[in-house]
């Protein structure tokens, strides 16, 4: 308790620095693999992907990021066991942020698309086990999270398979694919937009004081999505007006490149709503505990500066270190075109947004890889680079124990410095 009273401001500054480091790691790794499909399919340049991420990551984090933050903070460990020793919780969360951030930066440097969710949860479990004991970990909650890591790639893979096959049958395998692309791509725009609009209106806008009934939420979401669909239809028909006879593969993919901009926005929003919690959750726990002079509150508001800090860190990480992981995801697993990348992105966005709405911190990395695999399976097993897939899975297995081990080392270092 004396440590918090004497070093409160210092601890908050350290937590902010470590949280920023963690957010940079998220940007370099998770956002990079989320945007990798757009860049790998050449629908977006790296610069365009960064601009989209800047806008929509912020929007997702601020409007729809609260549910998952609570799960990371209070769902993984039993914070009540730290009531008599709040300084231990503070040191633990600091070590978890530093451990996860360090591992993510290393993995990003190597080009490994690992899970930030694995990293931070592994780190929190590691410090809790050495600081209090295994009883500090809510193993039931952890089982649910681990289960989601298996289930969500399967769900996103199934979604991607269905979306890709539907595009093949409705557009590519027809006699006049360009005309059908003009007809059906705006419908895909409607589906993409309604997924994002629903979670924003129904859950996200509660943060800014707007509460709507189910009927009102659906009406607004449908209205916004209809506007996007109409705008997309007008734009596509105007841009491709002089190419009625161009039924080539490249001509049709050109229309899907327009759609990829919409799905990239959806992916960035979905990622921001779910994964920014990996950085701001432990940071929020430290700030709350220090501000309440060691009292571990069951519910507290997130300080105004925490979400912007996480958003800025994510953008910095993507801009400075994101290119290596983008290359792995965008070109390494399977050859992506705009239509294939769209199927993977929309499937991932749907899965992540649904999971964020339930408060379950899934792995965006595993969701996206599952979706890309779904697209590859739709083309046949030979379309997949199984060597790259094996390496990715191996990096996933290493991530959780690596986060735990680093957290233990940093926790003892924190204790030695302050105690």
């Amino acid at each position: 308790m004396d440590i918090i009273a004497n070093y409160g401001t210092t601890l908050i500054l350290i937590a902010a620095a470590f949280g920023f480091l963690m957010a940079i790691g998220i940007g370099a790794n998770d956002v990079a693999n989320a945007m990798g499909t757009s860049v790998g399919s050449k629908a977006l340049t790296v610069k365009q992907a960064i601009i989209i991420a800047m806008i929509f990551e912020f929007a997702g984090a601020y409007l729809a990021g609260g549910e998952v933050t609570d799960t990371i903070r209070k769902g993984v460990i039993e914070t009540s066991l730290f009531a008599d020793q709040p300084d231990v919780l503070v040191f633990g969360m600091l070590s978890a942020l530093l451990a996860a951030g360090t591992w993510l930066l290393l993995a990003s440097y190597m080009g490994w698309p690992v899970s930030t969710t694995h990293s931070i949860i592994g780190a929190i479990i590691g410090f809790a086990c050495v600081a209090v004991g295994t009883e500090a970990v809510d193993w039931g909650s952890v089982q649910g999270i681990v289960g989601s890591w298996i289930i969500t790639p399967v769900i996103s893979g199934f979604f991607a398979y269905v979306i890709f096959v539907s595009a093949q049958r409705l557009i590519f395998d027809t006699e006049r694919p360009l005309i059908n692309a003009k007809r059906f791509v705006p419908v895909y725009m409607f589906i993409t937009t309604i997924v994002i609009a629903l979670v924003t209106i129904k859950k996200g806008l509660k943060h800014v004081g707007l509460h709507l009934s189910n009927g009102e939420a659906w009406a607004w979401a449908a209205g916004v999505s209809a506007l996007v669909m109409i705008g997309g239809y007008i734009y596509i028909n105007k841009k491709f007006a002089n190419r009625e006879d161009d039924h080539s593969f490249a001509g049709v993919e050109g229309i899907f490149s327009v759609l990829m901009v919409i799905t990239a926005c959806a992916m960035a929003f979905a990622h921001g709503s779910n994964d920014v919690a990996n950085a701001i959750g432990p940071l929020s726990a430290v700030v709350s505990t220090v501000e309440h002079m060691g009292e571990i509150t069951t519910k507290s508001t997130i300080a105004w500066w925490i979400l912007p800090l996480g958003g800025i860190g994510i953008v910095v990480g993507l801009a400075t270190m994101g290119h290596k992981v983008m290359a792995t995801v965008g070109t390494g697993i399977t050859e992506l075109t705009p239509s294939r990348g769209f199927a993977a992105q929309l499937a991932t966005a749907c899965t992540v947004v649904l999971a964020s709405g339930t408060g379950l911190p899934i792995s965006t990395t595993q969701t996206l890889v599952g979706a890309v695999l779904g697209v590859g399976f739709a083309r046949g097993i030979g379309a997949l680079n199984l060597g790259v897939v094996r390496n990715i899975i191996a990096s996933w297995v290493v991530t959780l124990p690596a986060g735990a081990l680093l957290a233990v080392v940093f926790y003892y270092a924190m204790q030695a410095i302050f105690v």
Side-chain angles (χ1 to χ4, degrees), residues 213-278:
S213 66
N214 283 329
E216 290 170 334
W218 275 98
W220 276 101
V224 171
S225 302
L227 287 175
V228 171
M229 180 176 68
I230 293 168
Y233 179 82
I234 294 170
Y235 176 81
I236 289 170
N237 278 273
K238 184 176 181 180
K239 183 174 181 178
F240 295 88
N242 299 321
R243 297 174 64 177
E244 291 293 336
D245 297 326
D246 182 9
H247 294 297
S248 67
F249 182 79
V252 178
E253 290 290 354
I255 295 181
F256 274 95
S257 293
V258 178
L259 179 58
M260 281 291 282
V261 177
I262 303 293
T263 54
C265 296
M267 191 62 246
F269 183 94
H271 180 268
S273 71
N274 192 78
D275 278 28
V276 74
N278 291 328

Side-chain angles (χ1 to χ4, degrees), residues 111-137:
W112 300 334
V114 299
S115 168
T116 58
T117 311
H118 276 219
S119 302
I120 193 66
I121 290 179
I124 290 174
I125 291 172
F127 102 77
C129 287
V130 297
V132 178
T134 55
E135 67 272 15
V137 180

Side-chain angles (χ1 to χ4, degrees), residues 380-403:
I381 192 71
L384 296 171
N385 187 334
L386 296 180
V388 171
V389 174
R390 279 195 299 268
N391 290 339
I392 291 173
I393 293 174
S395 70
W396 291 352
V397 173
V398 172
T399 293
L400 196 142

Side-chain angles (χ1 to χ4, degrees), residues 166-248:
S166 73
Q168 288 291 111
R169 293 183 179 178
L170 293 173
I171 298 171
F172 287 96
D173 294 341
T174 62
E175 292 182 359
R176 307 177 76 183
L178 188 73
I179 291 175
N180 286 325
K182 290 181 179 181
R183 181 183 303 160
F184 289 110
V185 166
V187 177
Y188 286 130
M189 287 183 176
F190 178 89
I191 296 170
T192 303
T193 307
I194 203 167
V195 170
I196 303 303
L198 271 175
V199 74
T200 305
I201 294 169
K202 188 61 187 149
K203 184 172 74 73
L205 295 185
K206 291 178 181 178
H207 291 275
V208 291
L210 184 61
H211 299 268
L212 300 175
S213 66
N214 283 329
E216 290 170 334
W218 275 98
W220 276 101
V224 171
S225 302
L227 287 175
V228 171
M229 180 176 68
I230 293 168
Y233 179 82
I234 294 170
Y235 176 81
I236 289 170
N237 278 273
K238 184 176 181 180
K239 183 174 181 178
F240 295 88
N242 299 321
R243 297 174 64 177
E244 291 293 336
D245 297 326
D246 182 9
H247 294 297
S248 67

Side-chain angles (χ1 to χ4, degrees), residues 35 38-39 44-54 318 326:
M35 303 302 287
S38 300
V39 177
L44 290 172
T45 64
V46 174
K47 184 177 179 180
Q48 289 169 334
I50 291 171
I51 293 171
I52 286 175
M54 287 174 63
L318 174 62
M326 276 190 188

Side-chain angles (χ1 to χ4, degrees), residues 220-386:
W220 276 101
V224 171
S225 302
L227 287 175
V228 171
M229 180 176 68
I230 293 168
Y233 179 82
I234 294 170
Y235 176 81
I236 289 170
N237 278 273
K238 184 176 181 180
K239 183 174 181 178
F240 295 88
N242 299 321
R243 297 174 64 177
E244 291 293 336
D245 297 326
D246 182 9
H247 294 297
S248 67
F249 182 79
V252 178
E253 290 290 354
I255 295 181
F256 274 95
S257 293
V258 178
L259 179 58
M260 281 291 282
V261 177
I262 303 293
T263 54
C265 296
M267 191 62 246
F269 183 94
H271 180 268
S273 71
N274 192 78
D275 278 28
V276 74
N278 291 328
I280 68 170
L283 172 55
S284 180
V286 172
V287 173
S288 174
T289 304
V290 171
E291 287 182 344
H292 289 84
M293 295 304 294
E295 180 187 353
I296 301 173
T297 57
T298 56
K299 199 76 175 176
S300 62
T301 56
I302 298 174
W304 66 269
W305 54 269
I306 290 180
L307 280 170
L309 183 80
I312 292 169
I314 283 173
V315 172
V316 169
L318 174 62
T320 56
M321 297 182 64
H323 58 283
K324 289 187 177 181
V325 179
M326 276 190 188
T328 301
V329 175
T331 59
I333 299 173
T334 189
E335 183 185 353
L336 290 178
T337 62
S339 62
R340 297 167 193 164
F342 151 72
Q345 274 194 339
L346 177 56
T348 305
C350 290
T351 307
V352 172
V353 169
L354 288 172
S356 182
T358 62
L360 188 63
I362 65 166
S363 165
T364 309
T365 307
Q366 296 187 347
T367 307
L368 179 72
V369 171
V372 174
L373 287 172
V375 171
F377 277 123
R379 298 169 55 224
I381 192 71
L384 296 171
N385 187 334
L386 296 180

